[in-house]
Amino acid sequence: MKFPIKAVAASLGVAVLSSAASADSINVTLSGGNPSGLWSLLGAGIDRAVKADDPNGVVTYQATGGGFANIGLLGRERTDLGLAHDAEIKLALAGDDPFDAPIENLQAVGYMYNWAPMHFFIKRSLAEEYGIDSIDDLATSGAAIRVANNNAGNIVANITTFMLEEAGYDEATIEANGGVLVRGGSAQQADLITDGRTDMVINGIFVGHSSFRKVDEGNDVVLLSVPEDIIAATNERFGTGTYTIPANSYKNQTEDVVTVALGAMLITSDVLPEETGYMLAKSIATNIDEIRGVHNAMQALTPELLTSQTTLPFHPGAERAYRELGLLE
């Protein structure tokens, strides 16, 4: 169901733009996601990167409903910065569901990561009984599978639904085979399969994430492969990237598994002052260890990755900083 961007912003309250509060120091609000999730840690790391150059600089983290909500807040100029998945941004630019119109004022500060791959775990007993090696085997297998997708309104749920439909395995087919589609977040999915209430879990998070470890260590599961044509179609639709989950990342995975991966970007709107964007981007790039240090999953972040995104135009101040640092030509 589409919803107006105005409603998204109103439902989260108003985050007052604060970047003009100080002419000399950064003072901005960053809208993220779950207050205990990775994005909150990224917010803390960005704040530390800013303070490394200016102890008076402040990046205030605001917990929200996630990337879709943050894009809505930026579209309404109700926050200074936001974190959002590249796939969410692509939908926003096109005005696709859940947005009621294109969002045209977004600009990039930098790519935070691009290594959150889609995982398709299924119980090994089912996979072996029905000859299921790839997600395109699901529909034709005839197996009655209890499939766990993410919660509605989460971009991973959108991508999962699209990939399964590309494989001919929509909800109607799941039910026709005697299965059922259930929904839950990463922790819920891990509990569902461990408690014997589902047979298959699908999510897009970092390799070795705690929820995946629980699925892998507490159950006899295998990781399904993804056909090249489905990877290509998904990347075209959502702006995701191709990613290889290395062999032996999980106990029954003896070969590399190629799939798609989400990335997350730090974004802003075109009302952010140029000097604020410049100071922010320069601090992030030159103090990147402050962000890498927030979580082991962030060790691969580099200044080069920051500038590798092609989804949005860079904020003019961020672009100037990156050019000065030799990260953009």
Side-chain angles (χ1 to χ4, degrees), residues 55-255:
N56 295 318
V58 177
V59 178
T60 301
Y61 184 81
Q62 172 180 262
T64 72
F68 283 138
N70 298 338
I71 291 168
L73 288 168
L74 286 165
R76 296 284 295 174
E77 299 178 6
R78 301 296 181 92
T79 191
D80 300 299
L81 305 167
L83 289 166
H85 292 104
D86 39 18
E88 293 165 324
I89 296 167
K90 186 160 185 178
L91 294 179
L93 294 175
D96 287 345
D97 189 43
F99 301 97
D100 60 353
I103 309 299
E104 299 177 339
N105 66 337
L106 303 178
Q107 296 179 340
V109 177
Y111 223 162
M112 293 288 102
Y113 60 81
N114 62 355
W115 50 82
M118 294 294 296
H119 291 61
F120 295 80
F121 283 110
I122 189 170
K123 289 183 177 178
R124 185 166 68 164
S125 58
L126 273 172
E128 292 180 349
E129 180 179 356
Y130 291 93
I132 303 170
D133 298 311
S134 169
I135 67 170
D136 61 351
D137 295 326
L138 293 166
T140 57
S141 70
I145 305 172
R146 295 167 296 173
V147 181
N149 190 357
N150 214 297
N151 293 312
N154 183 301
I155 187 61
V156 176
N158 296 40
I159 293 173
T160 297
T161 299
F162 179 86
M163 294 178 76
L164 292 180
E165 289 178 350
E166 287 290 304
Y169 199 53
D170 58 10
E171 187 170 1
T173 304
I174 292 172
E175 293 176 351
N177 285 355
V180 63
L181 179 68
V182 298
R183 291 191 178 272
S186 56
Q188 292 170 303
Q189 287 189 18
D191 288 340
L192 285 168
I193 195 166
T194 300
D195 295 344
R197 290 176 288 162
T198 190
D199 307 302
M200 183 175 182
V201 296
I202 308 166
N203 217 338
I205 329 177
F206 304 127
V207 174
H209 184 269
S210 59
S211 64
F212 289 155
R213 291 201 306 272
K214 183 174 181 179
V215 169
D216 185 49
E217 295 168 5
N219 304 273
D220 192 14
V221 293
V222 293
L223 195 61
L224 298 182
S225 63
V226 182
E228 290 182 6
D229 60 331
I230 295 179
I231 291 173
T234 306
N235 289 345
E236 175 66 24
R237 177 72 179 89
F238 292 99
T240 46
T242 303
Y243 187 93
T244 300
I245 301 174
N248 302 311
S249 294
Y250 302 100
K251 64 184 181 185
N252 291 327
Q253 183 204 351
T254 59
E255 298 179 351

Side-chain angles (χ1 to χ4, degrees), residues 108-109 277-278 281 313-324 328-329:
V109 177
Y278 170 80
F314 279 104
H315 179 273
E319 182 176 359
R320 175 159 61 94
Y322 294 145
R323 289 189 187 281
E324 286 183 5
L328 288 175
E329 295 183 0

